[in-house]
Amino acid sequence: MVDTGIVSDRSVYLESEETVPGGKPAAFHFTGDAFEYFKIWIVNVVLTVLTLGIYSAWAKVRRKRYFYGNTVLEGSAFEYTADPVTILKGRMLAFAVFMAYVLTVNVYPLAEPFLWLIFLPFIPWVLIKALKFNARNSAYRHIRFNFDAGYRDALFVFIIIPLSLIFTLGLTYPWFAYRQRKFVSDHHRYGLSMFRFHARIAEFYKIYGLALLALLAAGSMIGVCYAYFLAPVFEALNQNRPAEFEPLSGILWIPAGFAFLIYLGLFAFLRAQLQNLAWNGTRLEEIGFESRLRTSGIFWLYLSNSIAVILSAGFLIPWAQIRMARYRIEHLTLFSPRSMDHFIAGELEKAGAAGEEVGEFFDLDISI
Amino acid sequence: MNRIDGLYFDGRVSRPTRVQLNFDSEGNLDLRARDFHREYAFGTLKFSPRIGNAQRDIFLPDGGKCETFANDEIDKLLIENRTGWFGRVVHALESHFIYGLASVLLTLGFGWSFVNYGIPAIAKEVAFALPLEADAALGRHALDVLDRLIFSESGLGREERDRLSGQFTSGLHGFDDPERIRLLFRNSVSLGANAIALPSGIVVITDQLVELADNDEEIAAILAHELGHVKHRHGLRTVLQSSVVVLVITWLTGDLSSLSALSAALPAQMIEAKYSRHFEREADQFAREYLIANRIPLRRFSDILSRIEAESPSGTGSMTFLASHPATEERIRLFSPEVSSKHAISNP
């Protein structure tokens, strides 16, 4: 598996291009506007605070409806149909679980590992519920998405594999990422049509391998930087002579800033490449997708967004979110050999909101 | 009356049909396409709420749906027929920038006072409404954990321990429930000269503190401060407050920003630090009253406090910062003789 890191860029690109089926391209468009969303966002914040969090369920629905309703494909936008009251009930349940956990841990601190043993088997169930809730409440052209997965699959992918990472020293992490993505994609449906994930595991190894190489290279560069240029600073520090240290302290920011840029760059690389891989490896029957995110594009967005958000004390968060959504959506294209008119709705069944809300509460990453 | 162009979907197949929606003055819908024509009463239609200029949906009673971007026309229709007030109020807020700004100020003020006064007041009410067993339950296991992690057996002689315990117990008169309060001795290199109050009423004093003290009155002053924590039930209140703070912040940021990981941890810590400062002041106040009641000079507390400060390892950056921290000066001032007791009490 390790030698997949040296597969050339070109060959993988050609392979993934071959797997994209022919057909008419249809681009995704994003019609959201930063100022328009700012006003929605600020009202969400205000009403959520004033109602001590109760409005947060409505806020969430309005936020998701805004992004869905402005994501347009072939003249139709996506729909988010969740009922805020259902979400609120889910949050109440999550609130109760969280309070019970906090109180128990404070009264019996030694019980914390046992509590996690009790929670652990519930995590796959919560994940399935959350994915199902989100899928069932997403629709396009009045046909709903759906998500169906068995408990044992989820247990294997989200609990057993992560635990096995301990024994493989994390070397099988790309395998975990692959299985996770495959689990999410393979169990989604649009109407009666199934999504399929056909990307190869080697492509995951290649992305993580490149990231690791870049990290090692950058790490040694920073090490050299510290050793040769910053020795006087450390000497002053070690001998506790602040007066000498003072004029040199500015230099410390150079490698720190450098490390931050590298961290951001790696993060951008992983986000862009993994998302491209996720979409390019997904098929909906004979329909293929192409995502063309660039590491440089994502890097610039992350950098400018974080600076803007920090300098504006958070008020540019909506602007940052809109820019990110626009970049991601506008770089996605769908290829279909025939028109999108033939998808048939599945049967209706309910999915409670508790799953998604419990999942969100404990900050599990369940983004699709 | 109102003629709107849109797309119709039957909900079974994803095929769009171009339609014309005609609403009469009562809001009843007349839906026309090239090959069909249907009518729906206004009461049977469900309109999705307006969100910016995102696509609007009209759900039909037969499971079909119409999509349109003609948001203004739909709004006019809903206003004329007096429905959908909730969505309209929210949308009105969302579309007027000045309301937005005004509500930001309102929210900041509300949020600030809720965190500063609301949460502590609620936690205090809840803590004092709970029986003392709640405090005891919190402290029972805490001692086991501390014994395992940072404490070892005390090296003090039997005689010295008995003397200090006796002095401690005799100072407890006036305490509501003296029988639940106990003094324990422990050695701790990592903690240094220090004392800890557990919510259950157990006060732990380190050998290092006993060594550092010039006389027993200084030890009494420190113990009085710890008793203040017990008396005001700070352990239970801290747990209650910090869980509410973490909860509120998780709730808000989890929903409203994509930067939750970054922003969630920081403010919670800052707010908790503020809470504990408030509790320290409350405990200091209790110590002050205790010293006056037991006729111990107030400067015993400031003396030992400044010695603990001096004793803590200096030289590293963080410690020099701590030494110049105004909080210590403020605390010492409370125990300096010039401050009249009236002033101190009115200034918690």
Side-chain angles (χ1 to χ4, degrees):
Chain A
M1 287 294 176
V2 184
D3 62 345
T4 53
I6 51 169
V7 172
S8 82
D9 212 30
R10 186 72 192 149
S11 69
V12 170
Y13 179 66
L14 282 176
E15 268 168 31
S16 50
E17 204 174 38
E18 275 165 17
T19 58
V20 171
K24 208 167 69 77
F28 286 80
H29 292 293
F30 185 67
T31 56
D33 170 77
F35 186 54
E36 189 180 66
Y37 178 60
F38 172 80
K39 292 180 283 186
I40 292 167
W41 177 84
I42 200 76
V43 171
N44 278 349
V45 176
V46 168
L47 290 183
T48 300
V49 171
L50 291 184
T51 58
L52 301 180
I54 292 172
Y55 187 78
S56 69
W58 279 262
K60 179 191 173 145
V61 170
R62 290 187 83 80
R63 169 171 54 86
K64 291 205 83 158
R65 273 177 186 260
Y66 187 79
F67 282 95
Y68 277 50
N70 280 304
T71 304
V72 182
L73 175 69
E74 298 277 81
S76 276
F78 287 78
E79 267 177 71
Y80 184 70
T81 58
D83 176 16
V85 177
T86 317
I87 292 178
L88 187 66
K89 283 182 195 158
R91 291 193 171 190
M92 301 280 201
L93 178 66
F95 179 87
V97 172
F98 177 77
M99 278 320 268
Y101 170 75
V102 167
L103 289 177
T104 315
V105 164
N106 275 292
V107 174
Y108 306 104
L110 300 175
E112 196 169 358
F114 298 101
L115 276 187
W116 277 104
L117 275 183
I118 298 173
F119 280 141
L120 219 53
F122 282 101
I123 289 174
W125 177 80
V126 169
L127 279 166
I128 294 174
K129 282 278 179 201
L131 287 164
K132 189 172 178 71
F133 181 77
N134 193 59
R136 294 243 9 103
N137 284 301
S138 303
Y140 173 69
R141 292 188 162 186
H142 208 30
I143 305 284
R144 286 168 188 272
F145 291 82
N146 205 341
F147 182 84
D148 269 310
Y151 174 82
R152 255 186 287 170
D153 276 359
L155 184 75
F156 181 70
V157 173
F158 290 100
I159 305 291
I160 310 291
I161 297 184
L163 287 178
S164 78
L165 290 178
I166 301 167
F167 302 104
T168 62
L169 303 173
L171 284 177
T172 49
Y173 187 84
W175 176 55
F176 170 53
Y178 164 78
R179 288 300 305 255
Q180 208 179 348
R181 169 54 48 192
K182 190 168 169 57
F183 175 85
V184 170
S185 293
D186 278 353
H187 294 98
H188 264 95
R189 271 190 286 144
Y190 174 55
L192 287 176
S193 309
M194 309 287 290
F195 283 90
R196 279 284 166 257
F197 191 64
H198 60 81
R200 289 177 314 127
I201 191 168
E203 298 174 71
F204 281 85
Y205 267 96
K206 184 189 167 229
I207 291 171
Y208 282 103
L210 283 176
L212 187 66
L213 282 180
L215 185 68
L216 290 176
S220 38
M221 265 167 71
I222 291 182
V224 167
C225 199
Y226 263 102
Y228 287 94
F229 299 107
L230 300 172
V233 177
F234 282 107
E235 205 177 324
L237 262 180
N238 282 341
Q239 292 169 10
N240 200 17
R241 288 176 301 192
E244 276 178 43
F245 166 66
E246 208 62 49
L248 296 169
S249 61
I251 305 178
L252 273 177
W253 288 99
I254 298 171
F258 194 50
F260 174 72
L261 288 180
I262 287 167
Y263 167 74
L264 212 60
L266 274 176
F267 197 61
F269 171 77
L270 286 176
R271 283 299 281 264
Q273 301 309 317
L274 289 174
Q275 192 170 353
N276 285 347
L277 187 55
W279 276 112
N280 299 345
T282 297
R283 276 262 199 105
L284 175 63
E285 292 183 341
E286 76 280 19
I287 292 176
F289 299 88
E290 193 193 17
S291 170
R292 299 172 309 277
L293 302 184
R294 299 179 67 93
T295 301
S296 56
I298 295 279
F299 176 77
W300 167 242
L301 278 174
Y302 276 145
L303 185 66
S304 51
N305 278 352
S306 16
I307 291 171
V309 166
I310 290 166
L311 290 185
S312 68
F315 280 94
L316 285 178
I317 287 174
W319 178 73
Q321 287 178 336
I322 291 282
R323 289 176 78 206
M324 190 53 90
R326 169 166 296 124
Y327 183 78
R328 287 163 66 163
I329 293 165
E330 296 273 347
H331 284 84
L332 186 64
T333 309
L334 166 156
F335 292 88
S336 177
R338 43 182 176 144
S339 75
M340 298 279 291
D341 295 354
H342 62 280
F343 291 102
I344 298 167
E347 305 128 65
L348 289 176
E349 42 177 322
K350 292 250 178 206
E356 186 179 23
E357 289 316 308
V358 173
E360 192 168 83
F361 218 76
F362 288 117
D363 214 15
L364 295 168
D365 192 2
I366 46 171
S367 60
I368 306 161
Chain B
M1 256 189 93
N2 292 303
R3 273 175 54 165
I4 300 166
D5 289 324
L7 290 176
Y8 167 81
F9 296 94
D10 63 8
R12 289 184 287 273
V13 183
S14 62
R15 185 184 305 112
T17 311
R18 238 168 247 293
V19 285
Q20 217 168 52
L21 296 90
N22 302 289
F23 291 98
D24 69 13
S25 56
E26 265 103 55
N28 301 317
L29 171 63
D30 174 279
L31 191 65
R32 274 171 198 278
R34 199 183 302 153
D35 51 353
F36 77 82
H37 172 216
R38 284 180 198 159
E39 287 176 17
Y40 302 97
F42 178 73
T44 63
L45 303 172
K46 245 183 82 187
F47 297 83
S48 72
R50 176 166 190 173
I51 298 162
N53 275 316
Q55 173 184 288
R56 200 70 170 274
D57 299 317
I58 302 160
F59 298 99
L60 308 172
D62 54 17
K65 183 192 90 166
C66 293
E67 292 178 352
T68 176
F69 284 90
N71 272 301
D72 292 336
E73 283 85 346
I74 301 283
D75 278 354
K76 220 175 104 202
L77 178 84
L78 292 178
I79 291 168
E80 280 165 5
N81 291 283
R82 292 192 191 83
T83 53
W85 66 272
F86 178 75
R88 277 212 316 280
V89 168
V90 176
H91 177 71
L93 282 174
E94 286 171 353
S95 44
H96 292 87
F97 187 54
I98 195 77
Y99 292 172
L101 275 183
S103 45
V104 169
L105 294 177
L106 185 68
T107 306
L108 288 178
F110 182 85
W112 183 82
S113 33
F114 183 69
V115 165
N116 273 282
Y117 305 108
I119 294 177
I122 293 168
K124 194 172 175 179
E125 285 299 318
V126 171
F128 283 99
L130 289 172
L132 284 170
E133 281 77 46
D135 298 54
L138 274 182
R140 197 176 300 140
H141 294 268
L143 187 63
D144 297 341
V145 175
L146 289 175
D147 269 342
R148 198 171 301 177
L149 293 178
I150 54 172
F151 288 149
S152 56
E153 211 168 311
S154 168
L156 293 179
R158 169 110 239 145
E159 204 176 298
E160 187 165 21
R161 278 197 261 175
D162 286 347
R163 191 186 75 240
L164 288 170
S165 294
Q167 177 200 302
F168 179 72
T169 319
S170 69
L172 285 180
H173 55 76
F175 222 79
D176 296 336
D177 38 1
E179 63 281 352
R180 81 185 178 101
I181 293 163
R182 274 198 301 149
L183 182 64
L184 295 179
F185 298 89
R186 292 285 189 277
N187 181 41
S188 176
V189 180
S190 57
L191 209 58
N194 217 326
I196 288 181
L198 301 177
S200 51
I202 290 174
V203 177
V204 183
I205 182 169
T206 65
D207 292 0
Q208 286 76 2
L209 182 69
V210 177
E211 267 166 45
L212 188 70
D214 276 350
N215 51 54
D216 288 355
E217 285 181 349
E218 288 186 353
I219 296 176
I222 293 294
L223 292 179
H225 170 89
E226 299 305 324
L227 282 178
H229 285 312
V230 176
K231 172 87 180 171
H232 292 292
R233 307 179 75 168
H234 289 157
L236 186 61
R237 281 161 70 183
T238 303
V239 169
L240 290 171
Q241 286 179 359
S242 54
S243 12
V244 173
V245 167
V246 169
L247 202 69
V248 166
I249 287 174
T250 313
W251 196 311
L252 288 183
T253 53
D255 205 46
L256 298 169
S257 88
S258 53
L259 298 160
S260 56
L262 189 80
S263 53
L266 216 65
Q269 274 165 10
M270 276 156 49
I271 292 165
E272 279 178 45
K274 191 176 164 56
Y275 282 148
S276 56
R277 272 211 300 284
H278 174 72
F279 285 165
E280 291 306 322
R281 274 202 291 270
E282 226 173 37
D284 280 352
Q285 191 57 45
F286 179 87
R288 195 173 191 281
E289 284 156 23
Y290 177 95
L291 293 185
I292 292 171
N294 288 285
R295 293 174 202 285
I296 297 173
L298 288 181
R299 55 188 306 270
R300 296 282 182 259
F301 186 82
S302 38
D303 284 353
I304 183 95
L305 199 65
S306 22
R307 216 169 311 120
I308 292 174
E309 284 286 334
E311 187 75 356
S312 55
S314 59
T316 57
S318 61
M319 280 303 169
T320 37
F321 167 70
L322 198 71
S324 61
H325 208 274
T328 314
E329 283 169 32
E330 183 192 316
R331 292 176 70 184
I332 288 174
R333 206 177 317 127
L334 181 67
F335 288 87
S336 59
E338 304 97 71
V339 184
S340 76
S341 63
K342 234 189 230 166
H343 171 77
I345 287 163
S346 67
N347 187 15

